[in-house]
Amino acid sequence: MTATANVTMPAGATPPASPRDPGVKRRRRGRFGDRVLPYLLLLPALAAILVLLAWPLVQVLAISFRKLDIGQLVSGKMVWIGFDNYTNTLSDPEFWTITVRTLVFTAAIVAATILGGLLLAVLMRHLDPVVRIMVQVTLVLAWATPVIATTTVFQWIFDEQYGILNKTLDRLGFHGFIGFSWFSSGASTLTVIGLLIVWQAVPFVTFSLYAGIIGVPREQYEAAGIDGASAWQTFRAVTWPAIRPITTMVTFLSVLWDFNAFAQIWAIREGGPDGGSTTLAVVLYLKGIAGNHFGAAGAIATLMLIVLALITGRYIQLLVRTPEGDLK
């Protein structure tokens, strides 16, 4: 005989679910599916990243441990030489000179780009709408002009015989600039190239920072004015906290782009005169494409990737440390 226990339940109470209740299993499977679904949706993008980015990086790393000149490339021979490419590169004093030049050049043009973009972004907030539109159209045109076309224009501007810059300086009373060559030394050549890169990079930075500035509520500026804050105090207390994460982002992007700048440098003087404007990107081209020393070029490319990885790690560290890690 089986005894049946009569359990009295309070009115309106829901009886406990049986351990084998299929509804509980469905809910568990539903929660598991909710956790897994985002990763499944990311799989196509991750696969594309692995194919388009990770595999070429592995190939470059493998090439850097080989002797791969035109002879090995034609015959298909695999000649592994270990760290010889890295040893030869790192023991070359010229490599370190070019590395320092590249870092200084990158830091200078990134600083000029961010400062110029920030000044223009703040200026556009105070301009009349018609003037603001004219400035924005000008920035878009400068940004949209192809690199080679802009490089050609800059070569005309700085030409020693027919350039408008030397003629303008002469008219202003600086007669020493008659026939002055802006490309006679590496320093002056890099200065012209830096101005060219800044000219093309400032519009992106300006629009990015301006988007952050116009997102600041007007009431905050009115409150700062009522408190008697100066223009600098208003910028530091109201504007800067809003655009600081955007400034960090565009600074990081500018470092990546300017560190790898090649087209402008090569189009101006091909790294000259006498290698005075040669950067790591130019050396990479000269070793690999022009010199057919693909193993040595692979080692240089790997070293450049290490530098960029360190910069990327620092950028991620800043995002994690700051409460503004998410762009609002």
Side-chain angles (χ1 to χ4, degrees):
M1 177 180 293
T2 303
T4 304
N6 295 325
V7 180
T8 304
M9 298 294 297
T14 302
S18 173
R20 296 184 178 181
D21 187 354
V24 175
K25 292 183 178 180
R26 284 195 296 269
R27 287 194 294 272
R28 289 177 179 173
R29 284 197 296 266
R31 288 195 296 268
F32 178 76
D34 292 340
R35 291 194 299 267
V36 174
L37 181 60
Y39 297 99
L40 293 177
L41 295 176
L42 286 174
L43 279 179
L46 292 176
I49 291 174
L50 290 175
V51 172
L52 298 177
L53 296 179
W55 179 244
L57 291 180
V58 172
Q59 289 286 82
V60 170
L61 183 61
I63 290 174
S64 68
F65 293 106
R66 295 164 54 187
K67 180 182 180 182
L68 186 59
D69 296 339
I70 193 65
Q72 290 78 23
L73 189 65
V74 172
S75 63
K77 292 182 179 179
M78 301 281 287
V79 182
W80 298 94
I81 59 175
F83 290 93
D84 287 355
N85 287 323
Y86 293 94
T87 303
N88 295 332
T89 299
L90 295 176
S91 61
D92 185 4
E94 186 179 2
F95 171 79
W96 291 106
T97 302
I98 295 174
T99 300
V100 172
R101 180 189 300 141
T102 303
L103 293 175
V104 173
F105 176 70
T106 301
I109 58 180
V110 168
T113 300
I114 300 302
L115 180 60
L118 180 60
L119 292 176
L120 283 175
V122 174
L123 176 64
M124 284 199 299
R125 180 183 173 273
H126 300 281
L127 290 177
D128 181 79
V130 177
V131 180
R132 185 188 307 124
I133 292 175
M134 294 175 60
V135 173
Q136 291 174 346
V137 170
T138 303
L139 290 173
V140 169
L141 292 176
W143 191 15
T145 306
V147 173
I148 299 301
T150 307
T151 303
T152 302
V153 172
F154 265 69
Q155 286 178 318
W156 290 344
I157 292 174
F158 289 90
D159 185 80
E160 59 181 316
Q161 295 295 333
Y162 307 103
I164 190 174
L165 179 60
N166 286 351
K167 292 184 178 181
T168 302
L169 292 174
D170 178 49
R171 293 286 183 89
L172 294 176
F174 300 97
H175 304 296
F177 284 94
I178 299 178
F180 177 78
S181 176
W182 293 91
F183 305 106
S184 59
S185 66
S188 59
T189 302
L190 284 176
T191 300
V192 176
I193 296 172
L195 292 174
L196 169 60
I197 295 176
V198 170
W199 172 270
Q200 295 179 301
V202 159
F204 170 77
V205 175
T206 301
F207 283 118
S208 299
L209 297 180
Y210 180 67
I213 291 176
I214 61 177
V216 180
R218 187 177 295 273
E219 292 78 9
Q220 295 186 17
Y221 290 105
E222 294 176 354
I226 293 174
D227 292 339
S230 63
W232 169 247
Q233 291 173 333
T234 302
F235 172 80
R236 188 175 59 181
V238 178
T239 305
W240 178 246
I243 65 173
R244 182 168 55 185
I246 304 178
T247 305
T248 303
M249 180 195 69
V250 295
T251 302
F252 169 70
L253 293 176
S254 297
V255 169
L256 295 184
W257 293 334
D258 297 340
F259 184 78
N260 293 305
F262 170 78
Q264 298 92 334
I265 300 174
W266 188 258
I268 289 288
R269 280 299 181 273
E270 300 182 357
D274 298 327
S277 62
T278 300
T279 60
L280 288 177
V282 177
V283 172
L284 185 61
Y285 171 80
L286 293 175
K287 287 284 187 180
I289 304 300
N292 296 321
H293 301 300
F294 301 102
I300 296 174
T302 303
L303 294 173
M304 293 176 65
L305 286 174
I306 292 174
V307 174
L308 294 179
L310 293 175
I311 296 173
T312 303
R314 178 57 179 167
Y315 171 68
I316 295 175
Q317 188 180 29
L318 290 175
L319 285 183
V320 171
R321 286 182 177 179
T322 58
E324 299 87 354
D326 53 332
L327 300 180
K328 300 180 180 179

